[in-house]
Amino acid sequence: MTQSFDRHRRLRRSAGMRDIVRETHVHTEDLIYPLFVKDGKDIKNPIPSMPEVYQWSLDLVDAEVQEAVDKGIRAIILFGLPAEKDPIGTSAYDTEGIVQRAVRQIKANHPDLTVIADTCLCQFTDHGHCGVVHEGEILNDESLDLLVKTAVSQAEAGADIIAPSNMMDGFVAAIREGLDEAGYKNISVMSYAVKYASAFYGPFRDAANSSPQSGDRKTYQMDPANRREAFREARSDVEEGADFLIVKPALSYLDIIRDVREREDLPIVAYNVSGEYSMVKAAAQNGWIDEKAVVMEKVTSMKRAGADLILTYHAKNIADWLKH
């Protein structure tokens, strides 16, 4: 009998065959590892909602950075927890702020490591919002001035990349202009270009102590129901001078990653956020899933959707799995 169908299984019949025809690959160089740095000494605070993630004091963080470097991770992003907060987030742009000191220390010990500074005010304001608040309103333009000061102070400390996550209108243009005027024309901006007002951020807010004390962030972060809005946000940031575009969250927004990839040529970063991380960890601890298989399938889907880099709390685990 003449066969009238294709034999697609020929390319799946062995592990070796599957390896040589695999279309999408995750590499250790694709990973960005987040770290929470905190004022104080001898601090390694576990975050209950994020297993295996900690808040680190500067006297202990170098060992954690060294472990990541030893695993082949080439980039980290820093989130700071200050000793004091106030309405305008003064410690965010203090030259002796926690992020600035962490950047200087880490770059001194690991000069070849790419150090990214998250640039926002929410961890540093006593109200927990990402900008200046007046009578319950988050003020856009007044917030930009403080974000520029923060970005410049982080660049002065030695950050390789500034990653503004505030979602104020015009934040990339303001920060790019501020960096250029301060003499930091070669410092890259990794914009949180497409950041949704997601329910997946809860564990991060525990880790960074950054929950809003009133209201929410829906007036500046994007509605999860909107797709076309992402195109406008990404295009604005490209035109304003961004060097990278972050899509956040990643897993529930793979369609958005693909959309942005098809429209923009800049490197795309998928932020595999805290809620996505914690759900996998919880299920794995209960024996419900194979953690390695699920995580690798998840990050492969992000690369397949079009991400060039993946910002993930799983970074050290992934590096180990890729190596072994």
Side-chain angles (χ1 to χ4, degrees), residues 159-179:
D160 299 290
I161 298 174
I162 301 301
S165 58
N166 54 88
M167 288 299 286
M168 297 295 117
D169 289 336
F171 69 97
V172 172
I175 288 173
R176 182 71 271 161
E177 182 179 354
L179 290 172

Side-chain angles (χ1 to χ4, degrees), residues 5-16:
F5 54 87
D6 295 324
R7 292 197 176 271
H8 301 292
R9 291 178 58 190
R10 290 174 183 150
L11 301 183
R12 305 174 194 147
R13 65 188 181 87
S14 68

Side-chain angles (χ1 to χ4, degrees), residues 142-172:
E142 292 82 352
S143 301
L144 295 180
D145 294 338
L146 301 183
L147 293 164
V148 171
K149 291 174 66 175
T150 302
V152 170
S153 72
Q154 293 168 340
E156 288 175 346
D160 299 290
I161 298 174
I162 301 301
S165 58
N166 54 88
M167 288 299 286
M168 297 295 117
D169 289 336
F171 69 97
V172 172

Side-chain angles (χ1 to χ4, degrees), residues 102-122:
V103 170
R104 287 196 294 267
Q105 177 177 310
I106 292 169
K107 287 299 292 184
N109 294 323
H110 303 278
D112 295 329
L113 181 68
T114 298
V115 176
I116 306 165
D118 179 79
T119 307
C120 198
L121 301 178
C122 60

Side-chain angles (χ1 to χ4, degrees), residues 4 58-59 80 88 92 96 117 210 212 214 244 273 279 289 310 323:
S4 59
L58 297 189
D59 56 319
I88 57 172
E96 292 302 316
S210 63
S214 63
F244 302 80
V273 300
M279 289 191 301
I289 60 170
I310 300 171
K323 185 175 182 179

Side-chain angles (χ1 to χ4, degrees), residues 154-205:
Q154 293 168 340
E156 288 175 346
D160 299 290
I161 298 174
I162 301 301
S165 58
N166 54 88
M167 288 299 286
M168 297 295 117
D169 289 336
F171 69 97
V172 172
I175 288 173
R176 182 71 271 161
E177 182 179 354
L179 290 172
D180 291 352
E181 289 180 352
Y184 298 105
K185 297 181 185 294
N186 292 324
I187 299 299
S188 302
V189 175
M190 180 182 284
S191 170
Y192 286 67
V194 181
K195 182 178 180 181
Y196 285 90
S198 172
F200 286 98
Y201 301 154
F204 174 91
R205 292 174 183 173

Side-chain angles (χ1 to χ4, degrees), residues 32-34 36 47 49-51 53 77 79 118 165 192 194-207 217 221 224 246-254 257 269-282 295 298-299 301-302 309-315 318:
I32 301 172
Y33 182 40
F36 297 94
I47 300 160
S49 58
M50 298 181 72
V53 177
I77 185 168
F79 299 95
D118 179 79
S165 58
Y192 286 67
V194 181
K195 182 178 180 181
Y196 285 90
S198 172
F200 286 98
Y201 301 154
F204 174 91
R205 292 174 183 173
D206 293 340
R217 295 176 177 151
Q221 295 178 1
I246 296 176
V247 177
K248 179 184 181 184
L251 195 57
S252 292
Y253 298 84
L254 295 175
I257 294 174
V269 183
Y271 194 151
N272 178 206
V273 300
S274 60
E276 297 168 345
Y277 170 87
S278 296
M279 289 191 301
V280 170
K281 284 292 184 182
V295 171
K298 182 171 68 168
V299 295
S301 75
M302 297 169 199
L309 301 169
I310 300 171
L311 200 165
T312 177
Y313 304 95
H314 295 288
I318 295 169

